[in-house]
Amino acid sequence: MKLDKKGLLIVISGPSGVGKGTVRDALFQMKGHDLTFSVSMTTRQPREGEVDGREYFFVTRDEFEERIKEGKFLEYTEFVGNYYGTPLDKVNEALKDGKEMVLEIEVEGAKQVRKIMPDAVFIFIAPPTIGDLEKRLNKRGTESKEIINERYQKAIREIGLAYQYDYIVVNDTVDNAADKIMAIIRAEHARTTRSLEGYMENLKLEEVDHD
Ligand code: 5GP
């Protein structure tokens, strides 16, 4: 029985190299959910295998700045020399349709979303150790030493901001992390503030004594 009729915005952050993409894939492959992924817009170059409109919408700086002026982002930021932003229209559409929308964004953007949509659920994916993070960043092999180093420094700063999130999920194994995120989503739907109204409507009780 679905009691929470409103959509749910799920914001996932975590440092570069923590394996967010892999966890997200595992999450979306799980059965019995109605999750939609918010495809962000960015000015960074596509990595090998990335497809425009699937991982990101790849645009030029001019195009991105035009959209900022037009107020078309829920949030946006500059991260290691490139713009990244969440298109507002898709989020609004999904939430209006009662869907669960997943945003995978960095901490600055998450902070902006928290201000506009305090009802969203904020999850931080963390590496088991700093060594794991370093290894993954170096393994990617698509970026220069300078960029890797910049991303590493940024990752350390981001981990320091994990306290701003509602949940911390350590990515010890991908399946574990995806399971935990799904459990969080299910629990959030059952939260009294989201589900009590729907429950009372179903019961058709006109007056309830709160004592
Ligand atoms: P990458 O270049 O590794 O794909 O992404 C760099 C960082 O930008 C990651 O932490 C990723 O989660 C974040 N990011 C991706 N899309 C968005 C977005 O729309 N807004 C914000 N604020 N960050 C994003």
Side-chain angles (χ1 to χ4, degrees), residues 30-87:
M30 289 171 83
K31 293 201 178 86
H33 68 75
D34 190 20
L35 301 174
T36 308
F37 179 63
S38 158
V39 179
S40 293
M41 198 162 276
T42 184
T43 58
R44 92 148 155 69
Q45 289 300 308
R47 294 193 185 116
E48 214 182 296
E50 285 183 337
V51 176
D52 188 37
R54 191 179 67 190
E55 279 79 12
Y56 285 105
F57 294 108
F58 296 98
V59 295
T60 62
R61 284 189 82 82
D62 283 351
E63 283 170 322
F64 199 103
E65 282 169 359
E66 193 53 40
R67 277 164 215 258
I68 295 175
K69 273 194 227 141
E70 292 168 355
K72 291 201 169 150
F73 291 111
L74 168 65
E75 61 71 39
Y76 71 91
T77 195
E78 240 183 311
F79 182 94
V80 192
N82 281 299
Y83 279 125
Y84 294 81
T86 305

Side-chain angles (χ1 to χ4, degrees), residues 81-98:
N82 281 299
Y83 279 125
Y84 294 81
T86 305
L88 183 60
D89 51 353
K90 292 278 184 310
V91 172
N92 282 342
E93 240 171 70
L95 294 183
K96 209 175 74 218
D97 294 346

Side-chain angles (χ1 to χ4, degrees), residues 18-30:
V18 76
K20 282 178 303 224
T22 327
V23 172
R24 182 193 70 211
D25 289 345
L27 183 70
F28 276 79
Q29 273 162 23
M30 289 171 83

Side-chain angles (χ1 to χ4, degrees), residues 67-211:
R67 277 164 215 258
I68 295 175
K69 273 194 227 141
E70 292 168 355
K72 291 201 169 150
F73 291 111
L74 168 65
E75 61 71 39
Y76 71 91
T77 195
E78 240 183 311
F79 182 94
V80 192
N82 281 299
Y83 279 125
Y84 294 81
T86 305
L88 183 60
D89 51 353
K90 292 278 184 310
V91 172
N92 282 342
E93 240 171 70
L95 294 183
K96 209 175 74 218
D97 294 346
K99 293 205 173 117
E100 297 160 331
M101 186 80 166
V102 177
L103 265 55
E104 187 202 302
I105 62 178
E106 51 67 66
V107 291
E108 194 45 52
K111 227 160 107 182
Q112 295 175 40
V113 178
R114 172 81 90 179
K115 279 197 197 129
I116 310 165
M117 297 187 170
D119 212 23
V121 181
F122 295 82
I123 304 173
F124 191 87
I125 306 188
T129 67
I130 294 296
D132 283 294
L133 193 75
E134 252 182 311
K135 232 189 290 164
R136 287 187 64 106
L137 275 173
N138 281 306
K139 223 167 66 187
R140 205 180 259 161
T142 48
E143 274 135 7
S144 67
K145 272 246 161 338
E146 289 74 37
I147 294 282
I148 291 173
N149 191 37
E150 214 176 319
R151 279 180 180 261
Y152 175 74
Q153 298 302 334
K154 186 125 191 152
I156 301 296
R157 290 200 296 277
E158 288 194 322
I159 291 172
L161 296 173
Y163 73 93
Q164 297 176 346
Y165 287 72
D166 300 317
Y167 298 93
I168 309 273
V169 168
V170 174
N171 186 16
D172 46 3
T173 73
V174 172
D175 288 344
N176 252 342
D179 272 353
K180 275 187 224 160
I181 294 175
M182 194 54 90
I184 291 167
I185 294 171
R186 296 210 170 109
E188 281 293 332
H189 273 299
R191 199 180 265 281
T192 313
T193 47
R194 295 187 205 279
S195 59
L196 187 62
E197 208 179 311
Y199 177 66
M200 289 306 176
E201 267 174 32
N202 283 355
L203 284 189
K204 298 193 182 5
L205 278 182
E206 290 191 355
E207 264 182 51
V208 180
D209 192 348
H210 287 291
D211 286 344

